[in-house]
Amino acid sequence: MNEYIIITGGAGYIGSHTIAEILLKTNYQVISIDNFSNSYEFVYENLFQLTHKKIISINLDLCNKQKLFEQIEPYHKKIAGIIHFAAFKSVPESVEKPLMYYHNNITSLLNIIELAIHFNIPNFIFSSSCSVYGDIKSSPVTENTPLPQPISPYAHTKQIGEQILDQLIHLSNPPLKIFALRYFNPVGSHPSGLIGELPKYNLTGLVPNIIRAALHKIPVLQVFGNDYNTKDGTPIRDYIHVSDIAYAHVLALQKLQTKSSSSFFDVINLGTGKGFTVLEVIKTFENINQIKVPYQIVGRRHGDVEAIYANNDKALQEIGWKPEYSLEDMLKTAWKWGKERY
Ligand code: WQD
């Protein structure tokens, strides 16, 4: 029988796309741990339609350590690695409810890493975020940029998560081999149209809002500020197709397995290396999908950074990863999903 990969948050946006890549491109089986607090169970049925492979679903809050250990016990000898996505991820919500974010994101990380140590599962991937770079003043940003004061409790949980893991590798016996992958702005959906971004709460990103404005689900897209120091005055981000991000996890896992058994921790940026302004994204969306997006310039959104995009050289060097999808692909697949689901 094949080995298992544990995916936490497997019903979520990046988690579900990563399950698809693992099932379609490797021989691993998947154990997904998700309590559907911000995702839907039907995602697993759609993953089955897409891959014709069944996953093992464990409906569990990772903060419940005892249940976590009990539920994984039966499989523990056959687990090759853990990919830890499950976390709260809304920046504004984290500002409103900081303790909820610290408690959930840190406790669940501590429990899952304790599980890895307890059952001797050496290979571990942690979902990190470009938000760890805070209000960065120059891009492209490389992984060795010193991390500044975090600008939200959410970003802080990602910084703390990385730091805990970096410390643990020196202290843990058995050894742990860990990549923290820093995602830039994941958008788009699987080209099949079967999975995509569909949280129960906090669907507030630029691309989902563009789709909702195009569908007239909201009266207009609010563009938060056009007085930034960029070519058209709107902020610059590094939008990256979610399937490119998902595939990077397969490569990272394979790389961890080829590494010797001594402990290891490293961080890798996952971005395209290209920055686009908000207005460029809107225009590209309109052109590729042949639909108008009603929008209105409003004031700046608190906490927004002017411009950030990745230097992604390290991803190529370390795990052989290069993004394949263009901005057009991202916005076309996002529309295919969103017009049916939002
Ligand atoms: C992008 C741009 C907005 C909505 C967030 C997290 C970050 C990471 C990625 C997880 C900004 C503008 C947006 C709208 C707008 N997530 N915008 N109107 O804030 O760059 O990053 O997701 O790790 O940590 O902070 O993404 O999509 O919200 O915004 O004008 O209705 O679009 O001001 O310039 P953000 P976003």
Side-chain angles (χ1 to χ4, degrees), residues 55-97:
I55 62 162
I56 294 165
S57 165
I58 298 179
N59 182 342
L60 181 71
D61 182 340
L62 286 172
C63 293
N64 188 337
K65 184 164 95 183
Q66 194 193 334
K67 281 238 163 66
L68 172 66
F69 277 57
E70 278 169 18
Q71 301 249 24
I72 294 301
E73 221 293 319
Y75 309 100
H76 78 272
K77 291 205 171 105
K78 304 226 42 157
I79 297 170
I82 298 176
I83 308 180
H84 178 48
F85 293 105
F88 293 159
K89 63 169 188 178
S90 160
V91 171
E93 187 181 55
S94 79
V95 174
E96 261 172 56
K97 301 175 185 167

Side-chain angles (χ1 to χ4, degrees), residues 220-334:
V220 285
L221 170 75
Q222 296 190 314
V223 173
F224 299 128
N226 67 348
D227 56 351
Y228 289 92
N229 188 18
T230 62
K231 57 184 146 181
D232 60 25
T234 61
I236 292 177
R237 296 287 181 275
D238 186 334
Y239 298 93
I240 167 86
H241 195 286
V242 65
S243 293
D244 273 331
I245 289 198
Y247 185 55
H249 292 75
V250 173
L251 295 174
L253 203 57
Q254 286 167 347
K255 181 64 189 267
L256 287 176
Q257 290 198 300
T258 63
K259 284 197 176 280
S260 71
S261 57
S262 51
S263 280
F264 163 90
F265 173 84
D266 209 355
V267 296
I268 295 180
N269 284 344
L270 295 181
T272 62
K274 292 187 207 109
F276 291 97
T277 67
V278 172
L279 292 181
E280 284 172 333
V281 175
I282 297 170
K283 290 292 158 230
T284 309
F285 184 92
E286 290 185 330
N287 289 338
I288 194 81
N289 295 313
Q290 289 300 303
I291 186 154
K292 273 293 207 215
V293 178
Y295 73 88
Q296 179 191 5
I297 310 285
V298 299
R300 290 185 177 197
R301 185 175 69 175
H302 179 71
D304 270 346
V305 176
E306 182 164 271
I308 180 166
Y309 52 95
N311 174 311
N312 63 8
D313 294 350
K314 191 169 169 186
L316 183 60
Q317 283 155 20
E318 285 296 316
I319 59 172
W321 177 82
K322 255 198 346 246
E324 301 287 336
Y325 291 88
S326 66
L327 183 66
E328 282 80 3
D329 299 329
M330 298 176 212
L331 298 175
K332 208 171 165 172
T333 56

